[in-house]
Amino acid sequence: MDGQLVSQATKDELKIRIAQWVKEGKKAPHLAAILVGHNGASETYVGSKVRTCEEIGYVSTLIRLEDTISEERLLQTIRDLNNDDAVDGILVQLPLPKSISEQKVIDTIDASKDVDGFHSLNMGRMVQGLPGFVPATPHGIMLLLEYYKIDTRGMNAVVIGRSNIVGRPMSILLSGATNPGNCTVTICHSHTRNIKAICREADLIVAALGKPLFLTEDMVKEGAIVIDVGISRVPDASKKRGYAIRGDVDFENVAPKCSYITPVPGGVGPMTIAALMRNTFRAAEAKQSRKA
Ligand code: GUN
């Protein structure tokens, strides 16, 4: 599955909708991103979110804060953005310094501007199958399954990893009464026994544990669908930047067995950004209709 292609198609569609939206005299969606500290991977992700905003005609603001910032000052920055009528979506790039409570930060974001879908209210609504913002990575994976018209109904799905950002919401979405969805879902994690046998029964595997090349050929049945969420940096002297990006799947040996598989890079990563852009447009639409 080509995440680059589907992401581009999603962004092209948004670009057209935004042009029309602005022509109607409405304000372009505005995403505010907060980056705390100088984590290399976070810099890359936030950079590409801001670039994509420019590409499709959104307004973006990047707020950079030092990692010595106090929790209270960060919370105040968020409250200011909540109260700023010009801002439609707010995201705080994770992880945060250990001295700051991520949950407190996330729950301080106004739920109607929480385009990452991490706020307890949006998480709760997702679990109940109610409308709200869905976290970008699992949302992007659902868009990818939809684009390729994969009928997941009745499938045995295995999600490896139980993070709040990917694994947990992914398991909820795949088990939902939706299409794609309607799967029988097993979540595997560090305490799971016999993970190999569980994976071998799966029609669909989502690997989101962050261990390079974890999912090997002997763990996958013939014809399975494999989604690779991993994006680890592993040292590689042959690369100019000194590292290579590795997924959680041993792509080379697993791919020949699969009916569908996502590569790394060029699979889930671009879809995450496309999903975030969709959420940001929805936030702007909802704000506009509250005003009307
Ligand atoms: N860190 C890893 N993934 C994400 C994400 O989707 N959003 C934010 N804000 N931080 C992340």
Side-chain angles (χ1 to χ4, degrees), residues 42 45 49 91-95 116 118 136-137 165 272:
S42 292
Y45 302 147
K49 290 169 188 179
L91 77 82
V92 181
Q93 190 64 33
L94 304 178
D116 257 335
F118 296 159
T137 300
I165 293 179
T272 297

Side-chain angles (χ1 to χ4, degrees), residues 199 202-205 220-226 257-261:
C199 288
D203 303 304
L204 168 63
I205 300 176
V220 178
K221 82 169 176 189
E222 204 65 47
I225 299 165
V226 171
K257 294 184 95 173
C258 296
S259 55
Y260 291 94
I261 186 166

Side-chain angles (χ1 to χ4, degrees), residues 237-276:
S238 75
K239 304 271 182 207
K240 215 162 69 188
R241 52 191 179 187
Y243 63 86
I245 301 290
R246 286 268 178 281
D248 289 347
V249 178
D250 178 9
F251 184 92
E252 196 188 328
N253 296 308
V254 169
K257 294 184 95 173
C258 296
S259 55
Y260 291 94
I261 186 166
T262 62
V264 175
V268 172
M271 289 311 299
T272 297
I273 307 237
L276 174 71

Side-chain angles (χ1 to χ4, degrees), residues 49-224:
K49 290 169 188 179
V50 167
R51 253 195 327 279
T52 307
C53 281
E54 284 164 16
E55 195 188 313
I56 62 179
Y58 292 4
V59 177
S60 66
T61 303
L62 171 57
I63 299 172
R64 289 177 158 279
L65 302 168
E66 285 306 318
D67 52 14
T68 49
I69 190 169
S70 70
E71 184 178 274
E72 183 45 36
R73 277 203 45 211
L74 176 55
L75 297 182
Q76 193 50 49
T77 306
I78 294 169
R79 287 185 207 109
D80 291 344
L81 293 170
N82 288 343
N83 295 328
D84 186 344
D85 193 47
V87 171
D88 299 291
I90 302 169
L91 77 82
V92 181
Q93 190 64 33
L94 304 178
L96 292 171
K98 292 216 173 346
S99 57
I100 298 176
S101 157
E102 287 189 352
Q103 200 56 47
K104 220 180 207 175
V105 165
I106 287 163
D107 283 338
T108 298
I109 299 172
D110 185 320
S112 71
K113 296 189 180 188
D114 167 44
V115 287
D116 257 335
F118 296 159
H119 191 288
S120 302
L121 193 89
N122 285 315
M123 279 283 187
R125 291 183 69 84
M126 179 189 61
V127 170
Q128 291 173 297
L130 297 170
F133 294 114
V134 171
T137 300
H139 183 192
I141 292 169
M142 296 301 272
L143 292 174
L144 205 51
L145 294 169
E146 191 183 327
Y147 184 91
Y148 283 94
K149 300 190 168 47
I150 296 171
D151 185 3
T152 60
R153 187 172 16 165
M155 281 187 179
N156 285 328
V158 168
V159 177
I160 314 173
R162 55 180 162 185
S163 73
N164 284 341
I165 293 179
V166 185
R168 182 80 54 191
M170 190 77 252
S171 72
I172 303 291
L173 294 176
L174 287 173
S175 67
T178 54
N179 187 29
N182 285 308
C183 294
T184 304
V185 181
T186 305
I187 307 185
C188 296
H189 46 74
S190 50
H191 293 268
T192 300
R193 290 186 202 134
N194 239 336
I195 195 159
K196 191 177 286 190
I198 294 169
C199 288
R200 285 184 68 89
E201 294 295 314
D203 303 304
L204 168 63
I205 300 176
V206 179
L209 70 161
K211 278 206 178 135
L213 313 184
F214 174 85
L215 194 79
T216 46
E217 172 264 331
D218 55 327
M219 299 171 80
V220 178
K221 82 169 176 189
E222 204 65 47

